[in-house]
Amino acid sequence: MIDYFKKASVNRKSKKLLSYLLMTVIGIVLIIPLLWMVFTSLKPMEEIVRYPPTFFPETIVWQNYFDTIAAFPFWRYARNTLFITVLVVIGNVLSNSFIAYGFAKLDFPGKKIMFALVLSTMMIPGFVTMIPQYVLFSKIGWVGTYLPLIVPSFFGNAFNIFLMRQFYLSINNELIEAAEIDGANHLYIWSHLMLPLTKPALITIAINSFNAAWNDFLGPLLYIQDQEKYTLQIGLQVFQNQATTQWNYLMAGATLVLLPTILLFFFAQRYFIEGMDLTGGSKG
């Protein structure tokens, strides 16, 4: 019997070690393109075109980043992108948590059917609705403004609603009943009781929304026509067309654009992992 448990323990350790090795290998494979981009951004041009190519830079040129920022209106495009991103994050956090609270904690006729319809929208590809949306926004005069990029975030997203609903369902209804006895309405319960208890899910939605808005290329390409209103993604594409052979500058620009996303996930990854737990944990 003792030998059996020892063998089982060895098997578990071997499987865990194998899984760690496999994840390490996959992680290295996935991070190589990112490292190649960063190292290329630090090389002089003559080193980039050298054959055979080298992975690590022999000469580190930090000036590439300063030259890239000076080559196109980087800070103006960064402000435009940040403005859109902040409003999109606020819209997604507020709208999805509010809608999910209704589906999780309120009883009204047709709730299950409506929730099923909301989830069914996840099966519709975005390219299917792209033309109708553009026609709609064109009819109401929003093309050329940031409104088509910001306003839809205040009307909810099917996956985020589902994520928040799972967290709300894990919260004991006795909290809501006690608050109602004290005279609190549902708006107060949602804002003062539910939101603090679902912080991991809210942070997950905020991270996903930030990544989607910050890295959005197609939306600004469709709706933004004034060069003064360009986002970083569009500005980087324009810069690429102007400097197709300056790979060190292009990689420096791509690194600068990607840096906020990497930093955000690095500092908030614990909340992101907790937020993706659809059971929501045990609360209340």
Side-chain angles (χ1 to χ4, degrees):
M1 181 66 69
I2 296 177
D3 292 339
Y4 172 78
F5 285 112
K6 286 183 178 180
K7 186 180 294 184
S9 176
V10 171
N11 289 336
R12 285 196 299 270
K13 292 180 179 179
S14 299
K15 290 180 180 179
K16 183 179 292 186
L17 178 61
L18 183 61
S19 64
Y20 286 160
L21 289 175
L22 181 61
M23 287 187 291
T24 301
V25 172
I26 294 175
I28 293 174
V29 171
L30 293 177
I31 203 173
I32 284 177
L34 176 63
L35 293 178
W36 185 278
M37 178 183 69
V38 174
F39 290 152
T40 302
S41 70
L42 295 172
K43 294 179 181 178
M45 194 61 194
E46 58 271 15
E47 189 175 331
I48 294 175
V49 299
R50 183 188 305 168
Y51 186 85
T54 57
F55 187 73
F56 297 99
E58 297 178 3
T59 303
I60 297 179
V61 184
W62 293 105
Q63 187 63 32
N64 289 339
Y65 285 89
F66 297 100
D67 292 342
T68 301
I69 292 175
F72 71 106
F74 177 85
W75 296 116
R76 183 199 306 157
Y77 296 160
R79 287 194 300 269
N80 296 341
T81 308
L82 185 62
F83 173 75
I84 296 172
T85 302
V86 169
L87 291 180
V88 168
V89 169
I90 293 174
N92 274 306
V93 169
L94 293 179
S95 64
N96 290 292
S97 59
F98 188 72
I99 296 170
Y101 174 78
F103 281 123
K105 297 302 182 181
L106 301 182
D107 291 324
F108 54 89
K111 182 174 75 171
K112 293 183 178 179
I113 297 176
M114 291 180 63
F115 185 65
L117 289 174
V118 170
L119 293 183
S120 66
T121 61
M122 289 193 294
M123 297 184 292
I124 303 175
F127 291 102
V128 174
T129 59
M130 184 186 305
I131 295 177
Q133 282 183 343
Y134 184 87
V135 172
L136 172 63
F137 293 140
S138 178
K139 293 287 186 182
I140 59 180
W142 284 7
V143 174
T145 70
Y146 293 143
L147 292 176
L149 306 176
I150 297 172
V151 172
S153 64
F154 286 84
F155 290 87
N157 172 275
F159 176 77
N160 291 334
I161 292 172
F162 170 75
L163 180 68
M164 289 300 305
R165 178 179 176 272
Q166 293 303 111
F167 266 75
Y168 284 139
L169 290 176
S170 68
I171 298 175
N172 200 319
N173 288 333
E174 293 179 359
L175 288 174
I176 298 177
E177 294 171 359
E180 288 177 335
I181 292 175
D182 290 337
N185 55 31
H186 286 291
L187 183 61
Y188 181 90
I189 294 172
W190 165 71
S191 59
H192 288 76
L193 293 181
M194 296 294 105
L195 292 185
L197 292 174
T198 56
K199 184 171 67 172
L202 294 175
I203 294 177
T204 300
I205 291 175
I207 294 174
N208 290 334
S209 302
F210 182 94
N211 289 338
W214 185 268
N215 297 311
D216 186 19
F217 174 78
L218 188 58
L221 182 65
L222 285 175
Y223 297 110
I224 304 303
Q225 301 168 344
D226 185 0
Q227 191 170 349
E228 296 290 324
K229 297 180 180 179
Y230 279 176
T231 62
L232 277 174
Q233 298 295 334
I234 303 298
L236 191 62
Q237 178 64 32
V238 173
F239 177 65
Q240 179 180 355
N241 295 335
Q242 297 173 350
T244 53
T245 59
Q246 299 175 358
W247 293 107
N248 46 358
Y249 293 166
L250 292 178
M251 294 301 104
T255 302
L256 289 172
V257 172
L258 188 60
L259 186 61
T261 302
I262 297 175
L263 293 177
L264 177 65
F265 182 79
F266 179 78
F267 288 108
Q269 59 180 320
R270 179 171 66 88
Y271 295 104
F272 181 81
I273 294 172
E274 292 179 6
M276 293 307 293
D277 178 13
L278 297 183
T279 62
S282 177
K283 301 181 179 69

